[in-house]
Amino acid sequence: MKKPRLAAIEYIRGISMLGVVGIHIGAAYLGQHTTPDAIANPHIVALLEIFTRFSVPIFFFISAFGLFYNLDLSQPFVYKDFLKRRYKAVVVPYVVWSLFYIVHYCILWQDPGPLNPITILYDLFFGLANYQLYFMVLLIWFYLMMPMWVWAVKRLDNVKLVWLLVAQIAINYLLCFIWNPYTIENPILNRFAIYHLNYWVIHYVFIFLLGGYLAVHMNGFMEFMAKYRSGIVVFFWLTVAAHLGYYYYLLSVRGYTPLEGVATAHQLAPTGIIYTLGASLFFFTIFTLWQLPDFLRPVLALLGKHSYFMYLAHPLALTYFGFLFDGLGLRLTVSMTVLFYCLAVGATLLLAMLMRRLGEVIPVINKATIGVYPKK
């Protein structure tokens, strides 16, 4: 029997996509405020770069949730069929968008160098064709290892999840704050080490398995959310305060610049991992149990429906709105950054809607860009 559709998954996709756009616009803002005569406003940086840090890891949470929610663990796992579906949904769009960005930037910057076949393979393996595509590489690696995740979810319980969380914090701290991949002298191993964040799934195993575990135990999860909804809300805001507090501590006590603070208080820092946990529980709870305003649900549904395309395409909006702002002599002040964000989201959403509609007439467009196939 097919399980009921969960609107929360779609809504979280939309919220997360908005956060990812914020992170990348925050990077553009910081890029214009790195000199003594252009000091970054730490609070707009906190909003765009720190508050949004749940956005990438929560994608792994809802991806695993969606996979395991529709998976019957009492039946044999058919790996071949699973890979075939994921190939259409993720691998094809990833390759298409990667090749598009490679060609696009070659034309834009009049540099044919990246069209070298070896360079293309290198960029595809590490997700380097554009800055948001590394997530797709990580997701593909998670899919390739799916039999192991099925085995693990079957054996998980609450105690093991706690130990897994502790291990995740320790591993990420070691790999992100202690280990220095640049010390590896072998040029080939050096590349594999430097780009470990682009393909080492170990950084996100806890949040992925948590999503799978909660999906398998959906009834118990619903009871947990209903019983502890107030505690979940409090826990979420405490994690927000802790993660923001860590960022402001780095700036006010340690003397970090906003750029250095962002590079340290990221989603793989201990506070970032706990914040992701808090955000995952919080958003799932409010989108499942709360009575949302009537106007909000269609907005969240629209963003969720087009979040995949927007995630893949939003760098185009950032690039060309950046050109527009530069041409008009507009710097990214706080107010201009807010305007830049609204323009980028609005334009990308409009493009996603137009392309989706066009893809219904010419199916290959939706197949290639978002892995959506016509219903039989």
Side-chain angles (χ1 to χ4, degrees):
M1 180 182 296
K2 188 175 181 180
K3 294 181 179 179
R5 175 178 167 273
L6 295 175
I9 294 179
E10 189 172 75
Y11 295 170
I12 293 174
R13 284 197 188 102
I15 292 293
S16 302
M17 179 275 304
L18 293 178
V20 170
V21 177
I23 290 172
H24 294 151
I25 289 179
Y29 172 81
L30 283 169
Q32 292 189 9
H33 296 80
T34 56
T35 59
D37 60 334
I39 301 174
N41 182 309
H43 309 304
I44 189 68
V45 173
L47 176 62
L48 293 174
E49 292 281 345
I50 305 300
F51 182 76
T52 57
R53 279 295 155 175
F54 68 88
S55 300
V56 171
I58 207 174
F59 265 125
F60 293 113
F61 174 83
I62 59 175
S63 295
F65 201 104
L67 290 176
F68 280 91
Y69 182 70
N70 295 301
L71 189 65
D72 186 354
L73 293 185
S74 65
Q75 299 296 320
F77 177 67
V78 185
Y79 187 47
K80 180 181 178 181
D81 291 347
F82 171 81
L83 289 182
K84 183 178 180 179
R85 293 192 299 271
R86 295 300 94 195
Y87 173 80
K88 292 180 178 179
V90 176
V91 177
V92 171
Y94 168 67
V95 173
V96 168
W97 280 98
S98 295
L99 295 177
F100 168 79
Y101 278 112
I102 290 171
V103 173
H104 170 262
Y105 288 124
C106 285
I107 295 173
L108 184 64
W109 307 121
Q110 298 182 356
D111 177 16
L115 293 177
N116 180 290
I118 300 300
T119 302
I120 290 175
L121 291 175
Y122 178 81
D123 289 343
L124 285 174
F125 183 86
F126 289 113
L128 301 177
N130 209 45
Y131 50 76
Q132 89 284 22
L133 293 176
Y134 79 95
F135 166 81
M136 303 287 284
V137 176
L138 281 166
L139 200 56
I140 290 170
W141 278 107
F142 267 115
Y143 292 156
L144 290 173
M145 302 169 71
M146 190 62 179
M148 184 169 68
W149 310 135
V150 172
W151 177 88
V153 168
K154 286 182 177 179
R155 289 158 178 79
L156 276 177
D157 55 35
N158 293 338
V159 174
K160 291 176 182 176
L161 275 173
V162 172
W163 281 111
L164 184 60
L165 173 60
V166 172
Q168 186 72 84
I169 293 172
I171 290 170
N172 284 356
Y173 189 83
L174 171 65
L175 294 177
C176 297
F177 294 95
I178 297 178
W179 179 56
N180 182 6
Y182 292 91
T183 59
I184 298 177
E185 297 181 357
N186 183 287
I188 296 178
L189 295 179
N190 179 267
R191 295 294 94 185
F192 278 88
I194 288 175
Y195 293 118
H196 66 96
L197 294 175
N198 291 38
Y199 71 102
W200 283 10
V201 299
I202 195 172
H203 295 291
Y204 298 101
V205 166
F206 167 74
I207 199 65
F208 187 86
L209 290 181
L210 176 67
Y213 177 78
L214 294 179
V216 170
H217 299 87
M218 186 61 193
N219 292 336
F221 186 33
M222 289 291 293
E223 294 175 2
F224 174 82
M225 289 188 292
K227 183 176 182 180
Y228 298 105
R229 67 172 71 188
S230 297
I232 290 172
V233 173
V234 172
F235 177 65
F236 168 69
W237 287 112
L238 286 175
T239 64
V240 172
H243 196 48
L244 286 172
Y246 180 47
Y247 163 76
Y248 282 112
Y249 162 78
L250 293 172
L251 269 59
S252 60
V253 178
R254 301 290 296 275
Y256 283 32
T257 65
L259 179 60
E260 291 170 334
V262 167
T264 305
H266 48 68
Q267 68 266 26
L268 300 181
T271 55
I273 297 171
I274 301 300
Y275 177 37
T276 298
L277 172 61
S280 300
L281 298 176
F282 172 75
F283 285 117
F284 217 103
T285 299
I286 64 172
F287 291 149
T288 302
L289 301 181
W290 287 17
Q291 184 64 42
L292 300 176
D294 291 338
F295 76 91
L296 187 57
R297 288 187 180 275
V299 173
L300 290 171
L302 183 68
L303 290 173
K305 178 180 179 179
H306 297 292
S307 60
Y308 195 13
F309 187 97
M310 294 177 71
Y311 174 83
L312 292 165
H314 75 271
L316 291 173
L318 302 193
T319 297
Y320 288 101
F321 278 121
F323 288 159
L324 176 62
F325 274 46
D326 289 343
L328 296 174
L330 299 175
R331 289 185 58 81
L332 290 180
T333 61
V334 171
S335 58
M336 286 296 102
T337 300
V338 173
L339 175 62
F340 191 77
Y341 179 87
C342 294
L343 289 172
V345 170
T348 311
L349 176 59
L350 179 60
L351 178 62
M353 295 169 65
L354 291 173
M355 292 297 290
R356 186 68 170 262
R357 183 65 60 87
L358 183 60
E360 293 172 356
V361 179
I362 309 174
V364 69
I365 293 176
N366 283 341
K367 292 178 183 179
T369 58
I370 54 176
V372 170
Y373 287 67
K375 294 182 179 179
K376 296 182 179 180

